[in-house]
C-alpha cells in the first residue's frame, strides 16, 4: 500500500522534537491507550501484519497527527468491529449491546507470560534460500495494494545480501490471513543508490527483505 | 469472528470511528476504556499490569546492563553479537520483540543507527517504551535519507569518512546498537559502566565516546 | 522533492467531497487569500516553479489540511520574506516597519492585462528533439531534492511518446532561478504499468515530461 | 530583493509563519491583508478586481460556449483540437493558463479525465476557479490510480472496454475535455447546447451523453 505511513526518505519534515523523551508514557491517556490496545489485540491473536495494515488504513491526516498509542487503540477498535467483536453502535453510544462472546479477557497472569515470552516469526521451509551473502539483488519496482514491508524508498534499487535470516512469516500474506513463511535476508544499500544527493557517501541503509521482494542482478 | 482482511472495509470503519469518537484524545481513550471494560473485552487488572511493567520493570536500564556486560566480558560480547536474543535471555530480559534481536557494534569507522520507517518497531523488552521522537514522522522520514543531519540535531558529529550503517527494522528483526566504551573508564565496574549507557546510544542517536 | 504534495497514486484517501463545487470561492477568506496571493506574486515575477516549490516546503500536515488558497497565501508571504520584501517581525506584529521599496503595487489595470494575456512557457532551442512520437522511453528512477515535475508514481516507468510540445522552460531549473528551456513531450503510460492492480486495463495515464526525465528504451 | 531559491530556508520560514500567524484561516487572511495593504505591497482595488473577475466574468460558461461551438461548427472543432489556445482566443477567452491549452475529445471508445497530481493546475481562463474537490488530496491521489472508482462516485459508469485517458497536467499544458454531444439534441442551437455543458464534463467527471 502506497500510503502516508511509508515515511522513509520523505522530504519536508522538520526538526526532531525530543520532548518527553525519557518518560515511558507521556500522558496518562497514552498509557491507557497502549494497555487497552495490547490487552485486546493479543487475546485474539490476529496476525501482527493485519494490525499494521489496519493502522495504515486510517485517515492519512489522522495517521500523521494523532498520538501514537491513540492510533494503536483506534486500530484495535477497528479490528474488533471488522471481526464482529464490537459494533459501531456500541462505540458511538458507549454502551455495550451484549457481553463479549469470547472467553475471559486477558488476565494479569497472561500479561506476565507475554512480557517474558518472545514471539518467534521463524518457520521451517523445505526450499533452499535463493541468495547467499554477497549476492547482488534488485528490489521489486512496485508495491501493491494491501500490506507490504518493502518501503517505497527502496523499490527498484540494487543492493547486496549481507545475511540470510532463515524463513519468516511473509507479512504481505499475513495481512491477508495467510500463514506462509519465506526466506528473509538483510540487504545493504548504498545510501547514494537510494537518494541521489548522497552519491559518494560511505553510508549504507539496511533492510530485512523477503525473497519475493528480490531478484538476482 | 474472523477478520475480513479487507483494506477498504477497515478504512471505512476508521472513517466512521473518526466521526463517532470524541476529538480530544484523552476523552476518546476514556470512552473506549469504559466501553471495553463493560463489554468484557478487557480486564482492568490487565491494563494496570501492562502499564506498570513498562513503568517500573522494563526499560532502557536493561539494555544498559547488556551493554556494560559486553564491555567487561568479551565472551558475553561475542555471544551478544552472534545471537542477541539468546544473550539477553541469559540476563533474564527475554520478552516482547526480543525473539529476533540483533546487536550491531559501533567501531572507530562505523556508527549504527536504528529506525523503523514503516511503523516504529522497537525492541521493547530491552529498551522499554520508544521515545516519542522515535515514533514521530520527522525521525522516520529523515533517518534513512539524512542520517548525518539527524545525528547533528542530537549533538552527534561524525567524521565524513565514518560510515553510518542505518538499520530500518521493518521486518521482525529488532536492532540494538552496542556503543563503543567511553575512553577513561578502565577502572569502572559493570554497574558504574551501565549508568553511563543512554537509551539513545542504543538507538544510535547518542555517542558515549567523549562522556567519561 | 519527495514530499507529501506528490499525491498521485497514494492510497488511503477516501471518498471525494463535492461540497461547494459550484461556488467560485467557498468562503470570503478563500476569495481574499486568492486575491492577495496573485496580487503579490505576479508583481514580482518570481518563477512559477519557485512558487510551487515554496508551497511544497510548507509543513506536511499544513499542506494536507489547510484550505487551498490559504496555502497559496502563506506561500506568497514566505516568498516575500525569503526575498527580503517583508520581515517575520512585521508578520508577527501585523505592523509594517517601513513602506515597501518596490514601485506601486499592481493596479486594477494590471490585473485586467494579466486576465487577458496568456503566459507562454515555450522558448526556442537549437537542439533537435531527441524523441519522436511513437518512441518508447523510460522515466528517471529517482527524483532529487528541490522541485521536479516527474511525479513519484511515474518514476522508472516505460511509456510512449505521443507528442512533442516544443521546448518549455525546465521547472527543476526554474525553481533554482535558472531560465533554461528543454524539449517537452506528452508521454502515455499504460495504467497497468504504473499500478500493478490495473494490469490488463485499457486505460492510459498521460504526463507532459521534459527530455531530461526520459531515456530511450 | 532576489529569492534565495533555498528549500531549507523557505521550509524554516513556513515553520515560523505557522507559529506566528493566527490558527483560524479567516483571521490569518484578515491579518495578512491588513499588513500587506499597509505595507504598500497590494492595492485593495486590485484585490477586488481579481475576485470580481472570477465571480462575474470568467467561469465554466466560457468553456461551455467553446464546447457548444465545437458541436455545431466542425471547422471550429478541428481548430480547437489542433490548437485550443488559438481557438479559445478566437472567442475572446484568452487569459490565465490558456497559453498552452489542449482539448481532448471523448469518443465512443475513449473517455478523458483531467487532474494535476502535483499541485492542482487548472485552465482558469476557460473554466474559472477549480472546484474544491479538484484541489483536494482525495481527487489528486485517486484520479490516476483508480479513475473508474472516482468516476463512479461522480455517477459516471463506463463500459469495461472503454479506455480512460487520464491527463495529469503537471507541466504548463492545460487540458479541457470535449465531451460527446448528447443524443437527441439535433435541433438545438449553440446557446441551448451550451446550457447543457457542465464544468465537470469538461474536467471529465461528468458524462453528458444521456442528459438530453
Amino acid at each position: 500500500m502506497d500510503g502516508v505511513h511509508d515515511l522513509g526518505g520523505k522530504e519536508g519534515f522538520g526538526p526532531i522534537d525530543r520532548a518527553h523523551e525519557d518518560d515511558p508514557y507521556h500522558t496518562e491517556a497514552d498509557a491507557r491507550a497502549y494497555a487497552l490496545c495490547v490487552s485486546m489485540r493479543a487475546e485474539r491473536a490476529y496476525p501482527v501484519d493485519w494490525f499494521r495494515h489496519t493502522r495504515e488504513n486510517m485517515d492519512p491526516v489522522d495517521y500523521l497527527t494523532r498520538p501514537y498509542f491513540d492510533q494503536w487503540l483506534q486500530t484495535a477498535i477497528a479490528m474488533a468491529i471488522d471481526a464482529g467483536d464490537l459494533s459501531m453502535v456500541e462505540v458511538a453510544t458507549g454502551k455495550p449491546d451484549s457481553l463479549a462472546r469470547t472467553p475471559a479477557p486477558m488476565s494479569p497472569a497472561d500479561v506476565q507470560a507475554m512480557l517474558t515470552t518472545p514471539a518467534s516469526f521463524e518457520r521451517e521451509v523445505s526450499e533452499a534460500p535463493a541468495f547467499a551473502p554477497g549476492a547482488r539483488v534488485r528490489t521489486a519496482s512496485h508495491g501493491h495494494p494491501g500490506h507490504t514491508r518493502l518501503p517505497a524508498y527502496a523499490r527498484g534499487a540494487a543492493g547486496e545480501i549481507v545475511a540470510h535470516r532463515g524463513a519468516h512469516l511473509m507479512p504481505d500474506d499475513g495481512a491477508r490471513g495467510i500463514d506462509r513463511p519465506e526466506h528473509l535476508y538483510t540487504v545493504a544499500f548504498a545510501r547514494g543508490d537510494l537518494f541521489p544527493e548522497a552519491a559518494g557517501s560511505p553510508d549504507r541503509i539496511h533492510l530485512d527483505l523477503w525473497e519475493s521482494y528480490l531478484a538476482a542482478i | 469472528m474472523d477478520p475480513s482482511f479487507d483494506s477498504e472495509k477497515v478504512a471505512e470503519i476508521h472513517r466512521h470511528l473518526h466521526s463517532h469518537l470524541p476529538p480530544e484524545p484523552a476523552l476518546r481513550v476514556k470512552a473506549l476504556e469504559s466501553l471495553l471494560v463493560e463489554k468484557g473485552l478487557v480486564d482492568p487488572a490487565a491494563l494496570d499490569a501492562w502499564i506498570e511493567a513498562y513503568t517500573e520493570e522494563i526499560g532502557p536500564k536493561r539494555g544498559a546492563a547488556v551493554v556494560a556486560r559486553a564491555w567487561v566480558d568479551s565472551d558475553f560480547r561475542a555471544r551478544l553479537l552472534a545471537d542477541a536474543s539468546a544473550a539477553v535471555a541469559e540476563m533474564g530480559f527475554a520478552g516482547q520483540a526480543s525473539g529476533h534481536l540483533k546487536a550491531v557494534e559501533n567501531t572507530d569507522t562505523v556508527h549504527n543507527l536504528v529506525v523503523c520507517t514503516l511503523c516504529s518497531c522497537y525492541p521493547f523488552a530491552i529498551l522499554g517504551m520508544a521515545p516519542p521522537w522515535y515514533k514521530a514522522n520527522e525521525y522516520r522520514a529523515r533517518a534513512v535519507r539524512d542520517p548525518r543531519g539527524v545525528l547533528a540535531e542530537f549533538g552527534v558529529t561524525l567524521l565524513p569518512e565514518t560510515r553510518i550503517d542505518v538499520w530500518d527494522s521493518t521486518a521482525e528483526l529488532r536492532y540494538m546498537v552496542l556503543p563503543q566504551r567511553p575512553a577513561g573508564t578502565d577502572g569502572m565496574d559493570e554497574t558504574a559502566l551501565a549508568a553511563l549507557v543512554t537509551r539513545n546510544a542504543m538507538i544510535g542517536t547518542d555517542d558515549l565516546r567523549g562522556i567519561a
Side-chain angles (χ1 to χ4, degrees), chain A, chain B:
Chain A
M1 171 180 177
D2 288 322
V4 293
H5 71 282
D6 194 354
L7 282 164
K10 294 296 184 294
E11 299 175 270
F13 288 93
I16 291 161
D17 178 358
R18 293 174 62 182
H20 300 284
E21 72 170 339
D22 292 321
D23 308 339
Y25 307 103
H26 68 280
T27 61
E28 173 66 15
D30 190 42
R32 306 304 294 176
Y34 168 71
L36 283 164
C37 177
V38 286
S39 297
M40 289 182 71
R41 179 158 69 89
E43 179 198 13
R44 283 168 181 35
Y46 295 152
V48 63
D49 287 296
W50 174 236
F51 175 81
R52 292 188 180 126
H53 188 52
T54 301
R55 179 173 170 225
E56 290 162 6
N57 273 291
M58 72 192 307
D59 173 82
V61 170
D62 282 351
Y63 189 96
L64 292 175
T65 57
R66 282 171 47 170
Y68 184 72
F69 288 129
D70 180 77
Q71 294 184 32
W72 276 34
L73 178 56
Q74 179 165 306
T75 300
I77 298 288
M79 288 168 74
I81 293 174
D82 171 66
D85 295 326
L86 197 66
S87 77
M88 192 65 73
V89 172
E90 291 176 307
V91 172
T93 60
K95 288 284 154 216
D97 291 337
S98 60
L99 286 185
R101 285 155 308 191
T102 50
M106 189 186 301
S107 69
D110 297 331
V111 175
Q112 215 47 50
M114 293 184 68
L115 285 168
T116 51
T117 314
S120 174
F121 295 83
E122 193 168 356
R123 299 290 184 272
E124 291 294 320
V125 292
S126 51
E127 307 83 31
F131 305 112
R136 298 282 299 166
V137 290
R138 185 172 296 281
T139 57
S141 57
H142 283 302
H144 55 76
H147 190 60
T148 187
R149 301 297 279 180
L150 172 59
Y153 76 83
R155 292 195 192 143
E160 184 181 318
I161 303 280
V162 299
H164 172 235
R165 303 299 193 180
H168 280 223
L169 289 172
M170 216 280 163
D172 307 42
D173 285 338
R176 288 189 283 245
I178 301 161
D179 257 31
R180 191 179 67 79
E182 197 180 278
H183 289 292
L184 179 72
Y185 305 88
T186 300
V187 184
F189 301 88
R191 183 157 68 91
D193 285 345
L194 302 177
F195 305 112
E197 73 277 17
S201 160
D203 304 340
R204 299 191 307 194
I205 312 297
H206 297 77
L207 278 158
D208 301 316
L209 299 174
W210 276 265
E211 196 164 282
S212 58
Y213 297 165
L214 304 172
I217 296 186
Chain B
M1 280 189 279
D2 287 330
S4 69
F5 300 112
D6 177 340
S7 313
E8 292 297 324
K9 184 181 169 205
V10 289
E12 196 180 350
I13 291 172
H14 274 303
R15 288 192 288 271
H16 286 294
L17 288 172
H18 177 107
S19 57
H20 286 314
L21 288 168
E24 208 277 305
L27 294 178
R28 193 154 56 213
V29 173
K30 202 179 271 281
L32 290 170
E33 177 170 348
S34 145
L35 172 65
L36 293 171
V37 169
E38 209 180 326
K39 175 89 182 171
L41 284 170
V42 300
D43 172 355
L47 301 179
D48 294 340
W50 281 113
I51 293 171
E52 276 164 29
Y54 283 100
T55 309
E56 290 165 19
E57 188 189 340
I58 307 172
K61 282 199 164 54
R62 286 182 164 191
V66 172
V67 168
R69 180 153 312 167
W71 283 345
V72 299
D73 178 343
S74 61
D75 287 347
F76 179 79
R77 181 179 152 279
R79 292 199 298 281
L80 179 69
L81 292 172
D83 183 348
S85 297
V88 305
E90 188 186 309
M91 293 183 71
F93 300 155
Q96 292 203 298
S98 82
H100 304 287
L101 188 68
K102 302 290 161 194
V104 289
E105 187 180 28
N106 286 351
T107 67
D108 288 342
T109 55
V110 176
H111 182 89
N112 291 283
L113 182 69
V114 182
V115 63
C116 169
T117 60
L118 291 179
C119 66
S120 312
C121 295
Y122 193 70
F124 293 102
I126 53 154
L127 297 185
M129 286 286 149
W133 58 258
Y134 183 86
K135 299 175 271 193
N137 305 332
E138 289 75 11
Y139 184 72
R140 289 169 54 189
R142 294 176 54 207
V144 287
R145 185 156 201 156
D146 179 27
R148 283 165 203 270
V150 167
L151 289 175
E153 283 182 35
F154 281 87
V156 177
T157 313
L158 303 174
L159 296 171
E161 61 268 28
T162 300
R163 183 176 90 207
I164 301 177
D165 272 355
V166 179
W167 304 85
D168 186 0
S169 56
T170 56
E172 297 300 341
L173 273 58
R174 296 290 168 268
Y175 292 87
M176 69 171 287
V177 177
L178 176 57
Q180 285 186 282
R181 180 168 173 164
T185 59
D186 288 357
M188 284 190 188
D189 68 8
E190 208 175 314
T191 310
L193 285 168
L196 300 178
V197 180
T198 62
R199 190 255 339 273
N200 288 5
M202 295 181 281
I203 300 175
T205 55
D206 196 4
D207 182 357
L208 307 178
R209 287 174 301 176
I211 59 167

